[in-house]
Amino acid sequence: MSLAKQDVRSLAEAARTASRVLATASTAQKDAALGAMARHLRARLPAILEANAQDVAVAREAGKPPAFLDRLLLDAGRVEGMARAVEAIVGLPDPVGEQTEAWERPNGLHVRKVRLPLGVVLMIYEARPNVTSDAAALCLKSGNAALLRGGSEAARSNAAIAGALAAGLTEAGLPAACIQAVPPGERETLLELIKLEGLIDLCIPRGGEGLIRFVAENARVPVVKHYKGVCHVYVHAAADLDMAARITLNAKTSRPGVCNAAECLLVDAAVAGRFLPQVGRALVAQGVELRGDEATRRVLSDAGVAVKPAVPEDWGQEFLDLILAVKVVDGLDDALGHIARYGSEHTEAIVTQDASVAGRFTREVQASGVAWNASTRFNDGGELGLGAEIGISTSRLHAFGPMGLKELTSQKYVIHGQGQVR
């Protein structure tokens, strides 16, 4: 159900008012609210799962693919994981008020740079209800009010989760408007939100390419894009091939419907004959459909491994499914060229025992996360020690990569003098 134009503005105005209270809240009060939010998530588990079951049933009836259903699905374990992610943020340092630099000027002025909240953060996302609690908790600890506009496919789940979070805020004595779930509706509602200059300080869209492009092209507020993840694993000639197989299998199959899953495997021609049959059999055994270039198909066909011809559109494709594009490349420069052309600046990985090659790869690849002898799946806020993440920015301003607490702050100059005038 769409909100009226004035109702949309009222939500944002309430968030702006709440943000001023939250910006000056103590760390103890924010941590108490986070603890209460986690408790209420656990206490309301039956209601959350019931709401989610309705969302999943509707999505399944609509014929949504398995990867979509996996992103949407909640169970007791995933809700417990949400609660623990909220609690983990309690243990993280509060960035608000942190002094990052200080210096003296020749005229005696003392200058400091200090972190402060952004203000009101608008989160626009699809399918993944756990984003509701992750984004809310990160915004709260960093002193920002949050407007959470999830997709219609998870509307019941998001409303149930937001209700639990609001109960935790109230228990801790903070305004309920610090965290507000915006009911999904028509694109007109979304248009109103992203044009609210002066009320919304940052918009973070997470979802399909169409949603992100719509927001980026129509917004009047600053946007940090959580764009698609076309992630590559490059197996270099000096790779430990058993390690490379483990990394490739994990990067593709551990959770294929997420943005840091591998979508393309690049294999050095020098090891393709040995490596491709080994990794190909393991991937096919896990249900992965392989789409290879001519050299890949020749090796895999000779080894009796099922492979389909890759079409041009498969390079640069975010499948979000058990599908992997595979290409044989002529060394490091060829791999770097392919990634530069088809990558999305999300996550890239190299497997090699040659440190000089790894050094070139990590320096030259333009991506928010670059892994050496590790899975692409580690480009994640929780895995990198940031607590939960609000998204993985593929923009370069003002954040690049997983966005945790510090990425939800800005910095101001505090200038202390003894009567100096200019």
Side-chain angles (χ1 to χ4, degrees):
M1 177 177 169
S2 295
L3 292 174
K5 181 176 180 179
Q6 187 54 46
D7 291 336
V8 171
R9 188 173 187 87
S10 294
L11 285 175
E13 287 173 343
R16 172 61 70 190
T17 300
S19 73
R20 291 196 290 271
V21 176
L22 189 54
T24 59
S26 67
T27 301
Q29 189 175 20
K30 291 186 289 187
D31 287 346
L34 289 167
M37 287 158 58
R39 287 196 302 275
H40 282 279
L41 282 171
R42 293 188 176 103
R44 299 192 183 195
L45 174 64
I48 291 171
L49 293 185
E50 181 181 351
N52 182 251
Q54 294 177 46
D55 286 335
V56 171
V58 171
R60 187 172 284 119
E61 188 175 331
K64 297 293 186 182
F68 181 97
L69 295 174
D70 176 66
R71 293 194 297 274
L72 178 60
L73 178 67
L74 293 177
D75 55 24
R78 287 188 177 181
V79 175
E80 175 61 23
M82 290 161 53
R84 289 182 179 178
V86 172
E87 289 173 332
I89 295 170
V90 173
L92 297 176
D94 187 344
V96 179
E98 176 192 359
Q99 178 179 299
T100 60
E101 294 181 70
W103 60 93
E104 292 278 351
R105 296 293 297 141
N107 61 0
L109 286 177
H110 183 70
V111 184
R112 296 185 294 133
K113 290 186 75 173
V114 179
R115 293 192 183 278
L116 74 161
L118 297 174
V120 177
V121 175
L122 168 62
M123 189 77 192
I124 301 170
Y125 52 104
E126 296 174 333
R128 297 178 64 178
N130 65 295
V131 172
T132 302
S133 57
D134 285 353
L138 283 166
C139 285
L140 180 71
K141 181 84 177 212
S142 57
N144 298 289
L147 290 171
L148 307 172
R149 200 271 191 183
S152 58
E153 68 283 341
R156 299 170 186 84
S157 306
N158 291 335
I161 294 166
L165 302 178
L169 285 171
T170 302
E171 183 179 314
L174 289 172
C178 289
I179 299 169
Q180 298 180 81
V182 181
E186 303 299 328
R187 281 284 169 100
E188 287 74 17
T189 302
L190 185 53
L191 269 174
E192 287 300 324
L193 278 169
I194 61 180
K195 291 180 178 179
L196 291 176
E197 295 176 280
L199 292 176
I200 293 172
D201 297 284
L202 181 68
C203 174
I204 305 173
R206 289 181 62 174
E209 184 174 351
L211 170 68
I212 294 171
R213 288 198 182 280
F214 176 84
V215 172
E217 290 169 5
N218 290 280
R220 293 181 185 167
V221 301
V223 176
V224 168
K225 295 189 285 293
H226 178 104
Y227 199 40
K228 63 184 180 180
V230 181
C231 307
H232 297 77
V233 174
Y234 169 45
V235 178
H236 178 250
D240 176 322
L241 298 187
D242 289 335
M243 176 196 292
R246 289 195 305 273
I247 287 171
T248 303
L249 203 64
N250 176 265
K252 178 69 262 183
T253 68
S254 64
R255 202 167 177 195
V258 296
C259 60
N260 58 14
E263 302 290 17
C264 183
L265 172 64
L266 303 175
V267 181
D268 202 297
V271 293
R274 288 183 291 145
F275 180 67
L276 281 173
Q278 173 188 0
V279 76
R281 291 187 188 101
L283 288 163
V284 170
Q286 293 291 319
V288 178
E289 175 187 305
L290 302 177
R291 300 181 182 179
D293 69 339
E294 183 179 351
T296 297
R297 295 198 308 275
R298 185 166 55 249
V299 173
L300 290 180
S301 296
D302 288 347
V305 179
V307 57
K308 292 184 176 181
V311 297
E313 293 75 22
D314 288 330
W315 315 120
Q317 181 70 254
E318 186 182 35
F319 299 109
L320 298 175
D321 204 348
L322 287 171
I323 301 171
L324 183 66
V326 187
K327 182 179 175 67
V328 174
V329 293
D330 293 321
L332 177 61
D333 287 325
D334 196 12
L336 289 170
H338 183 95
I339 290 169
R341 180 174 180 182
Y342 295 107
S344 62
E345 301 196 0
H346 193 291
T347 311
E348 308 295 352
I350 184 172
V351 186
T352 184
Q353 299 299 98
D354 188 324
S356 64
V357 168
R360 265 199 69 196
F361 188 89
T362 56
R363 284 193 307 273
E364 295 182 25
V365 162
Q366 298 300 311
S368 76
V370 186
W372 173 20
N373 290 345
S375 173
T376 59
R377 296 277 286 112
F378 285 107
N379 193 15
D380 170 270
E383 294 294 333
L384 297 179
L386 306 182
E389 68 182 30
I390 201 166
I392 296 179
S393 170
T394 53
S395 307
R396 302 193 195 183
L397 293 174
H398 71 285
F400 198 30
M403 293 181 64
L405 293 172
K406 290 185 178 181
E407 289 73 27
L408 288 171
T409 64
S410 185
Q411 297 187 62
K412 64 183 175 183
Y413 291 90
V414 178
I415 305 163
H416 182 200
Q418 295 83 37
Q420 290 93 331
V421 295
R422 183 174 176 180

